[in-house]
Amino acid sequence: ISKLGVLTSGGDAPGMNPCIRAVVRTGIYSGLNVVGIRKGYQGLIENDMYDMNPRSVSNILNLGGTILKTARCLPFRTDEGMETAYQNLKEQGIDALVVIGGDGTFTGALRFSKKYPDIKVMGVPGTIDNDLYGSTYTLGFDTATNTVVEAIDKIRDTADAHDRLFFIEVMGRDSGAIALRAGVCCGAEAILLPEKATAIDDLIENLRAGQHNKKSSSIVIVAEGDKNGGVYDIARRVQNEIKVYDIKVTILGHLQRGGSPSAFDRVLGSRLGYAAVKALLNGHTQKMVGLQANNIKITSLEEALTQHEFKLEQDLMEMADILSI
Ligand code: F6P
């Protein structure tokens, strides 16, 4: 390979910038030309690219978001869109790509590189959802969880002052990873997860037990992918049964995606960016780099996508209930 393109795609995640920095500097150090592609696959189709040098990524380790910008690009799902992207890459002389994103990004990358195998592709798992097979942690998950913990700690203060019950919705799409971890960190009285169905009757019983045990406030974390009908609906159903509690609902929303990456995400982004370039130089393609048992592991995109099932830690699920009695 001689010319490397780098892009971020799908939802942004803190840690993407440290990763871009590592890709750019490792690429240049290794003798490659490096091109930044703006707005993910959209930039490939619109030929929105620029040459990068080591200074293009100065002072970005601490920045949230992504300096390359990102997008969810529908035209890239069509043959026509892919062909335009390919022609633009050929014109630029780019023969390898590092794509940083989640499963939608990887699905696009795999389809594209099967169609045009002369463009080598390496994925880096970047999503706050922590829902990719092949990496114990994805970029942004740690920072997002810390953001959620900080927010819920603040809500606990006011919940306690008023003796209130709060329902707090957190992000994660179909994954309860943020909800579970934040729940353990904040001592949530209940955590509703897509991975583990909780009947509302059981939740009510649990909250009543808390009242009986003289809890002054209660926090229920609801993962956005939970299947009980949404946080407002759940709150209303509980309110109908437990009249004594003053109930409030907070949806944390997109603040969970922003902020300066944590030390963990800066190191992870740097490691994965470095590893992605090394893997391409070693001849790998149609793969992703990930972290397993604190070592870099390379997984095929095919496997990453078909095995796509992130298992939550069983001990966290069990202890969450026990530690909040
Ligand atoms: O995948 C990251 C994520 O933040 C999910 O947790 C959430 O469901 C989704 O993206 C929101 O997407 P958008 O920013 O496009 O509304």
Side-chain angles (χ1 to χ4, degrees):
I1 63 173
S2 63
K3 199 165 183 181
L4 175 66
V6 55
L7 60 82
T8 48
S9 160
D12 62 319
M16 282 181 164
N17 282 326
C19 186
I20 294 166
R21 173 178 176 272
V23 170
V24 171
R25 292 189 174 170
T26 308
I28 291 170
Y29 177 83
S30 310
L32 304 175
N33 291 310
V34 182
V35 172
I37 299 154
R38 292 193 185 87
K39 294 197 177 173
Y41 296 131
Q42 194 176 316
L44 282 186
I45 293 175
E46 294 173 354
N47 212 355
D48 190 1
M49 316 181 192
Y50 65 106
D51 291 335
M52 299 185 89
N53 62 55
R55 296 286 72 73
S56 316
V57 289
S58 293
N59 303 329
I60 65 166
L61 273 170
N62 56 329
L63 300 182
T66 155
I67 61 159
L68 292 175
K69 298 194 176 285
T70 186
R72 303 190 196 277
C73 176
L74 293 179
F76 193 70
R77 296 184 189 174
T78 66
D79 288 343
E80 208 189 353
M82 286 210 176
E83 177 63 24
T84 309
Y86 178 70
Q87 292 307 336
N88 286 335
L89 284 170
K90 288 311 260 186
E91 204 176 287
Q92 297 266 359
I94 295 172
D95 49 10
L97 282 178
V98 172
V99 299
I100 309 165
D103 58 350
T105 304
F106 288 179
T107 304
L110 183 59
R111 255 197 78 206
F112 183 76
S113 61
K114 277 186 170 168
K115 238 165 129 63
Y116 307 106
D118 51 325
I119 310 284
K120 310 293 177 216
V121 174
M122 190 59 51
V124 174
T127 165
I128 64 165
D129 300 337
N130 206 28
D131 60 351
L132 286 173
Y133 177 84
S135 193
T136 312
Y137 297 108
T138 57
L139 278 184
F141 169 63
D142 182 67
T143 307
T145 304
N146 281 308
T147 302
V148 168
V149 167
E150 199 183 324
I152 296 179
D153 282 349
K154 288 177 177 159
I155 292 173
R156 177 71 85 175
D157 289 346
T158 177
D160 188 56
H162 286 264
D163 291 349
R164 279 174 169 161
L165 163 58
F166 270 81
F167 287 84
I168 304 170
E169 186 194 275
V170 303
M171 276 186 171
R173 207 182 287 276
D174 300 323
S175 155
I178 294 177
L180 178 59
R181 209 155 264 245
V184 169
C185 290
C186 299
E189 276 60 33
I191 311 168
L192 304 191
L193 303 165
E195 291 86 350
K196 182 186 170 208
T198 303
I200 297 299
D201 287 346
D202 292 342
L203 173 66
I204 291 167
E205 199 179 306
N206 174 358
L207 293 169
R208 282 213 173 102
Q211 277 190 314
H212 185 72
N213 288 334
K214 309 228 170 345
K215 279 186 179 271
S216 58
S217 66
S218 286
I219 301 278
V220 177
I221 300 183
V222 182
E224 65 174 344
D226 172 69
K227 298 179 184 72
N228 277 303
V231 67
Y232 283 106
D233 198 46
I234 296 167
R236 192 183 41 75
R237 284 156 70 191
V238 171
Q239 180 82 87
N240 286 342
E241 295 296 325
I242 310 185
K243 299 245 170 9
V244 290
Y245 253 139
D246 191 9
I247 293 183
K248 297 282 176 185
V249 172
T250 303
I251 296 178
L252 293 182
H254 282 81
L255 72 84
Q256 296 165 89
R257 285 244 294 271
S260 185
S262 63
F264 182 88
D265 277 327
R266 293 183 201 195
V267 174
L268 183 63
S270 302
R271 287 179 88 176
L272 294 180
Y274 174 77
V277 177
K278 289 275 181 198
L280 284 166
L281 288 168
N282 287 332
H284 291 283
T285 184
Q286 299 185 5
K287 299 199 174 135
M288 64 163 254
V289 288
L291 194 73
Q292 291 176 30
N294 204 20
N295 284 307
I296 298 295
K297 285 274 151 46
I298 298 176
T299 306
S300 74
L301 286 179
E302 195 93 56
E303 199 186 352
L305 289 166
T306 49
Q307 303 274 333
H308 172 80
E309 195 188 339
F310 182 83
K311 295 230 182 325
L312 294 180
E313 298 90 338
Q314 197 59 39
D315 62 328
L316 287 191
M317 290 215 256
E318 284 168 19
M319 82 171 72
D321 288 341
I322 295 169
L323 300 191
S324 66
I325 55 173

